Amino acid sequence: MTDASATQKGSVRVRFAPSPTGYLHVGGARTALFNWLFARKERGTMILRIEDTDAERNKPELVTGIIEGLKWLGVSWDEGPYYQSQRTELYREMAKKCLANGSAFRCYCPPEKYVGGDHAEEGAEDAKVRRVARCTCRDGKPSSPETKPALRFKVPAGGTTKFFDAVFGGREFSNDEIKDFVLLRSGKEGEEFGQAMYQMSVVADDIDMRITHVIRGADHISNTPKQVLLYRALGAEPPVFAHVPLILGPDKSRLSKRHGATDVNVYRREGFLPEAFRNFLALLGWAAGGDEEFFRTKELVEKFSLDGVSRTNGVFDRAKLEWFNTQYLQKLPIEDLLPQVEEQLKQDGLWKEEWAAGAGREWFSRTVDLLRPRVRLLPDFGSWSRAFFSDEFTIDPAAKAKFWKDEKVPILLAKLAEALAGLTEWNHDACDHASRKVAEEAGVKAGLLINATRVAIVGQAVAPPLFDTMVVLGQERVVRRLRAVVIGFAK
RNA sequence: GGCGCUAUGGUGCAACGGUUAGCACGCGGCCCUUUCAAGGCCGAAAUACGGGUUCGAUUCCCGUUAGCGCUACCA
């Protein structure tokens, strides 16, 4: 359902245009992702543009968080980043073009006394003719010629402005409802005009960058007719718009800090996998059309389309995000997971160089593979499964209380330690047989011994199957840990 | 207030005039079991309301209600 007049394949150009707030908001992240998916799907060009025209906060370092977040998410760009703060001349030129061709005017009204925008009281008998008020400046009658003027767009009287939205369909707005918006702020001492306003700079850039599809948040729907008017005034053809619904918090209000993290990098630091986060985000407000919801990046690109985008705002559901993460933790090719675990262990100070290659790498791979079904977030590798990577770990008191309460546990563990020490072969079955034999001879259920042993060798009540764990830990460590526990009991 | 957008279980999505309204998360139960997950099976749970149009509406139209957005010389 995309506009037929839009583009030939290959010429698609889209952009992600955040303002530098210091971090990448999950809503922005999804907009960026949709732009990126669309660009890849259409073999087009993705552009990153920083909208930093706000004079006050205009620090380049505020952009780093956004770029970091995008990179983590796997969203790349072919051009940019461009900075609007470095393109101000373009905006003024385009604005002056509007002044020259009569589609803009100098407005001398002091901002606080501007009368336009309010509803005029015309047509008393018929409510339908309500329209926005216009100030006299637009008709060449300066309200107070001594003040420095701003440049305002002269919205046509009457008529409507239409545009095509690939998500919401054809839209039409009455011009009489659109106020004469400011293109250029009034200037300081020497200059004629000041900084360009948002509507002016986006349109100028989108024209200049030959953007074909504007994919952005639905909060811009109401801005769109103004921008379309500007395109026309500048003699340019408007692009196809695609407004993406907003992301809400659990209470259905717009997602904000009080709902928890809105910064993508917080999720990165919490240990979510980018693959999982991306899949989750893609499905918030978009569906391929069927019941499938597991998509690797490649499939996402293949299946993405603008008319699969929903028109309803969606709630950010952290529980589902976590579910996606556990799924990816289990299903990701192990070689894609390993580097991420490695990074985590480095952060935790548990990493050993011997795991980087060769036999050490193999061991590392087997161990991560064993652990992954029970991990929820990356940091779990260094915390609850710490005993797999370090001899320095503590035994969880709750685990002791749960599995060491039987009085036979000390003697059982002592016997097991010696049985295992005597093993000449160290593999799953050997450990299994030796352990069950100890339990049998002591006349207890194998489960009692198995659970108690798990606590002794990994310090946790929750861990992978015991005999697999033993194999990975190795005979020496298992026996040593058991003996240490037995000595502890004796004291 | 004005203008606009939206409306399927608690949540995310399917069904784009004809289905016993489907899937997933979450929730409850059962199975499996060596802890905990995973996995398997079962269950509770939805078309906001009211009018039309139609042989037939979740689907199309109108109204109501609700939520959200915009309403700056912010972006």
Side-chain angles (χ1 to χ4, degrees), chain A residues 104-122:
Chain A
F105 64 95
R106 289 190 177 82
C107 177
Y108 295 86
C109 303
E112 64 286 357
K113 284 171 67 184
Y114 178 64
V115 296
D118 299 328
H119 282 278
E121 295 299 319
E122 311 173 31

Side-chain angles (χ1 to χ4, degrees), chain A residues 59-321:
Chain A
K59 300 180 193 136
E61 64 267 25
L62 286 178
V63 177
T64 58
I66 292 172
I67 290 190
E68 246 179 78
L70 290 173
K71 284 187 174 162
W72 178 70
L73 247 191
V75 170
S76 56
W77 51 96
D78 309 297
E79 288 181 25
Y82 296 113
Y83 292 82
Q84 286 196 323
S85 58
Q86 292 169 8
R87 299 166 56 84
T88 56
E89 266 322 297
L90 173 72
Y91 313 145
R92 281 189 214 210
E93 276 172 35
M94 294 231 189
K96 285 184 181 160
K97 232 167 122 180
C98 292
L99 179 60
N101 70 22
S103 54
F105 64 95
R106 289 190 177 82
C107 177
Y108 295 86
C109 303
E112 64 286 357
K113 284 171 67 184
Y114 178 64
V115 296
D118 299 328
H119 282 278
E121 295 299 319
E122 311 173 31
E125 72 291 347
D126 186 357
K128 286 283 275 191
V129 300
R130 289 174 64 91
R131 64 183 63 164
V132 106
R134 309 292 183 191
C135 70
T136 59
C137 309
R138 105 196 295 256
D139 306 314
K141 284 174 269 182
S143 54
S144 52
E146 61 282 355
T147 60
K148 294 228 51 150
L151 187 68
R152 276 187 197 275
F153 186 80
K154 190 188 281 183
V155 175
T160 62
T161 297
K162 304 183 178 88
F163 62 91
F164 179 75
D165 191 305
V167 174
F168 289 89
R171 297 289 109 179
E172 186 171 358
F173 288 79
S174 163
N175 291 337
D176 288 332
E177 287 289 343
I178 303 170
K179 67 179 276 191
D180 292 331
F181 52 100
V182 175
L183 260 23
L184 254 29
R185 295 175 168 93
S186 49
K188 305 271 188 293
E189 49 264 35
E191 47 187 18
E192 187 184 9
F193 291 113
Q195 281 287 311
M197 293 288 290
Y198 170 73
Q199 313 289 359
M200 185 66 249
S201 48
V202 241
V203 171
D205 271 339
D206 286 342
I207 290 174
D208 188 61
M209 296 175 185
R210 305 186 331 273
I211 301 300
T212 58
H213 296 71
V214 171
I215 304 171
R216 64 194 348 176
D219 48 342
H220 285 290
I221 291 178
S222 303
N223 284 327
T224 308
K226 297 178 196 166
Q227 294 172 14
V228 169
L229 251 12
L230 249 184
Y231 273 91
R232 303 266 188 236
L234 259 4
E237 191 61 25
V240 171
F241 294 91
H243 288 101
V244 176
L246 302 177
I247 297 180
L248 275 20
D251 63 353
K252 301 284 187 90
S253 70
R254 202 169 171 173
L255 186 68
S256 71
K257 297 108 288 193
R258 64 192 173 79
H259 296 118
T262 54
D263 180 353
V264 166
N265 284 318
V266 168
Y267 292 91
R268 176 169 61 87
R269 278 183 236 114
E270 277 190 61
F272 284 93
L273 300 175
E275 295 86 348
F277 197 80
R278 190 188 308 133
N279 196 153
F280 167 74
L281 223 45
L283 257 39
L284 185 50
W286 172 80
D291 286 334
E292 263 183 292
E293 54 180 5
F294 242 90
F295 300 109
R296 297 303 308 278
T297 307
K298 201 177 149 225
E299 302 170 285
L300 240 26
V301 169
E302 282 165 9
K303 299 187 188 260
F304 188 79
S305 85
L306 259 16
D307 44 39
V309 176
S310 160
R311 285 175 300 276
T312 45
N313 295 167
V315 173
F316 185 90
D317 182 3
R318 190 187 159 100
K320 184 130 188 187
L321 169 60

Side-chain angles (χ1 to χ4, degrees), chain A residues 274-481:
Chain A
E275 295 86 348
F277 197 80
R278 190 188 308 133
N279 196 153
F280 167 74
L281 223 45
L283 257 39
L284 185 50
W286 172 80
D291 286 334
E292 263 183 292
E293 54 180 5
F294 242 90
F295 300 109
R296 297 303 308 278
T297 307
K298 201 177 149 225
E299 302 170 285
L300 240 26
V301 169
E302 282 165 9
K303 299 187 188 260
F304 188 79
S305 85
L306 259 16
D307 44 39
V309 176
S310 160
R311 285 175 300 276
T312 45
N313 295 167
V315 173
F316 185 90
D317 182 3
R318 190 187 159 100
K320 184 130 188 187
L321 169 60
E322 289 180 1
W323 176 79
F324 265 112
N325 207 57
T326 60
Q327 291 297 308
Y328 271 90
L329 241 3
Q330 288 175 66
K331 293 177 182 168
L332 214 56
I334 191 77
E335 60 272 18
D336 290 342
L337 181 59
L338 258 21
Q340 305 195 57
V341 180
E342 180 176 333
E343 186 48 43
Q344 180 66 47
L345 293 181
K346 280 175 179 163
Q347 277 179 37
D348 295 334
L350 296 173
W351 178 251
K352 294 191 178 70
E353 271 314 311
E354 62 189 270
W355 300 332
R361 192 60 167 186
E362 272 176 50
W363 176 86
F364 181 58
S365 178
R366 257 188 299 137
T367 304
V368 169
D369 204 33
L370 185 63
L371 258 10
R372 70 203 300 208
R374 267 152 271 254
V375 171
R376 293 192 70 76
L377 295 167
L378 249 13
D380 293 340
F381 282 105
S383 55
W384 82 266
S385 57
R386 182 185 176 97
F388 287 80
F389 303 106
S390 169
D391 286 327
E392 277 161 46
F393 64 93
T394 53
I395 296 185
D396 176 26
K400 287 185 194 176
K402 187 172 179 190
F403 291 122
W404 286 2
K405 53 175 189 269
D406 193 296
E407 56 187 13
K408 290 193 281 292
V409 165
I411 184 70
L412 281 170
L413 295 184
K415 282 182 174 166
L416 180 65
E418 297 328 305
L420 293 175
L423 251 29
T424 53
E425 263 189 316
W426 191 257
N427 55 46
H428 179 283
D429 289 351
C431 292
D432 191 334
H433 294 144
S435 303
R436 288 185 196 280
K437 195 170 164 213
V438 169
E440 198 180 320
E441 287 174 0
V444 300
K445 284 168 64 177
L448 176 66
L449 175 63
I450 286 168
N451 290 333
T453 305
R454 178 181 301 106
V455 175
I457 67 176
V458 300
Q460 298 289 324
V462 175
L466 185 67
F467 307 122
D468 295 322
T469 298
M470 285 181 171
V471 171
V472 145
L473 286 179
Q475 185 171 25
E476 189 274 328
R477 276 204 285 185
V478 170
V479 172
R480 175 157 44 83
R481 288 179 185 182

